[in-house]
Amino acid sequence: MTTPFRHTEPLPPASAAGTVAEVYAQIALDFGIAEPSTFVVLSSAPELLAPAWALLRESLIAGPGSRTGKELVALGVSLANRCPFCVDAHTVLLHATGDHALAERVARGGTPHDEEHARLLDWGQRTRVPGADLEPYPFPREHAPAYLGTALTFHFINRIASALLTENLLPAGAQRFRAVRSIAGRALSRTVRRTARPGQSLALLDDIDAGEAPAWARGTPVGVAYASLLRAAMSGAGLLDAADHDLVEAALQDWDGTHPPLGLAGIPDRRERPGARLALLAALAPYRITDEDVAAWRRPEHSDHCLVHLVAYGAFIAVDRIESAFSAQITQEAL
């Protein structure tokens, strides 16, 4: 049977228990999509699944600001990261907000007619470049935790989706058809337009220490969720030896947001450093991860849990590079 999953075989959601089942229940209630593959693919690592969901919920769904505006930011991020799965998902979700003409215009590659919408889409695309000048924000400053959190959420989720899912949001690529996108969006409209209470996902987290919350989200549920995901994702570094870890971290320090060239210059050979290669591809070009790359790294002791953690580590070091640039700009403004 064809599935949307690449490189892993998640357990059927019907068999979920404990934290995984609780996360699925909240996703169905607040996201409107039961068992979306972007989260099912993380289910072998509940310690990643819960904070990834929490960050999305507290920023995109329950955070302040327009849902249409945040969907445009998420769409811009997904375009910049070349993640067709997430581009299609956010097009459907724009239909769910009721902005049908806007959804179809951006689906065709057009620029929104509304100036504010165009600025939000462009801002989301520019967040891929660490240190890009993102000021002035195209949203009220008091909404920054939700908008910055949304951007960073999808810098993470795009990479997970591109690495571990196929490109098809719906079976047989049905999302390519306008009528299907519209119908799918309308089915979600009641949930998308409902007000969600902030903070309700935090009960799903094992560790709610907000000590590592970034300054732009301190004192908010977004900050707690971000800190939790940071700790969970960075634990994947333990799957690399010291030399590979140093190589990956050094490469991300020099990254300027560009996509690697076709020849993957600067990416280690899979025969020599397969772990470092997987982590760097997850960070910079997850859509370039192949079966051969995974097979070169995988050993009998490497379960799906391990692969998900290694990919999440690579994804998050890119997120951390982008977030560090956000924080540096905010600190500079405060001086």
Side-chain angles (χ1 to χ4, degrees):
M1 181 183 296
T2 301
T3 79
F5 305 108
R6 302 170 62 223
H7 314 308
T8 71
E9 296 181 2
L11 291 174
S15 67
T19 297
V20 175
E22 292 174 11
V23 171
Y24 287 163
Q26 197 173 88
I27 289 172
L29 176 66
D30 289 338
F31 200 39
I33 304 172
E35 304 148 6
S37 53
T38 43
F39 290 104
V40 174
V41 78
L42 295 173
S43 62
S44 65
E47 64 277 13
L48 284 168
L49 170 66
W53 159 246
L55 185 56
L56 182 148
R57 183 193 184 277
E58 301 305 331
S59 56
L60 177 71
I61 297 173
S66 156
R67 180 64 182 266
T68 294
K70 287 179 286 184
E71 288 293 345
L72 284 166
V73 166
L75 176 60
V77 170
S78 302
L79 287 166
N81 289 329
R82 302 179 184 175
C83 180
F85 183 101
C86 293
V87 167
D88 288 339
H90 294 295
T91 302
V92 167
L93 287 165
L94 280 172
H95 274 290
T97 68
D99 291 290
H100 304 295
L102 171 62
E104 286 309 306
R105 185 167 181 80
V106 296
R108 296 191 300 270
T111 300
H113 289 306
D114 182 272
E115 182 179 349
E116 179 183 349
H117 288 165
R119 289 178 60 218
L120 286 161
L121 181 65
D122 175 68
W123 186 88
Q125 290 180 279
R126 289 189 290 115
T127 62
R128 179 175 166 95
V129 178
D133 184 7
L134 300 175
E135 295 274 11
Y137 292 151
F139 46 80
R141 185 164 290 274
E142 60 269 25
H143 295 172
Y147 279 93
L148 295 177
T150 294
L152 293 169
T153 296
F154 288 97
H155 278 297
F156 180 75
I157 288 178
N158 287 172
R159 288 167 168 81
I160 297 297
S162 291
L164 300 176
L165 301 177
T166 68
E167 293 187 356
N168 285 332
L169 176 68
L170 297 174
Q175 74 282 347
R176 293 192 300 266
F177 299 101
R178 175 175 181 166
V180 173
R181 292 193 295 269
S182 178
I183 291 168
R186 291 172 194 273
L188 297 171
S189 61
R190 180 174 297 180
T191 302
V192 165
R193 299 180 201 185
R194 188 174 62 220
T195 300
R197 182 180 173 186
Q200 291 192 327
S201 67
L202 302 188
L204 299 169
L205 304 179
D206 289 333
D207 179 1
I208 58 170
D209 178 6
E212 294 176 273
W216 50 266
R218 195 160 293 143
T220 72
V222 174
V224 175
Y226 184 89
S228 182
L229 181 57
L230 182 154
R231 288 188 292 272
M234 296 302 280
S235 71
L239 292 162
L240 300 177
D241 62 29
D244 280 354
H245 176 264
D246 290 347
L247 183 154
V248 170
E249 296 279 339
L252 264 293
Q253 286 301 311
D254 295 333
W255 179 55
D256 62 0
T258 57
H259 290 263
L262 286 177
L264 293 179
I267 304 293
D269 187 278
R270 71 171 65 95
R271 293 165 296 183
E272 298 173 0
R273 308 183 85 164
R277 180 183 177 88
L278 271 178
L280 275 177
L281 284 175
L284 308 181
Y287 48 85
R288 304 283 295 277
I289 292 175
T290 65
D291 291 343
E292 292 76 15
D293 292 323
V294 174
W297 170 77
R298 205 151 191 178
R299 298 288 181 268
E301 67 272 20
H302 289 153
S303 62
D304 281 358
H305 177 272
C306 297
L307 179 60
V308 167
H309 259 287
L310 184 58
V311 170
Y313 165 67
F316 204 86
I317 55 174
V319 173
D320 187 60
R321 174 83 171 90
I322 294 166
E323 189 283 322
S324 296
F326 284 168
S327 290
Q329 289 178 357
I330 292 168
T331 300
Q332 186 63 34
E333 291 167 11
L335 295 177

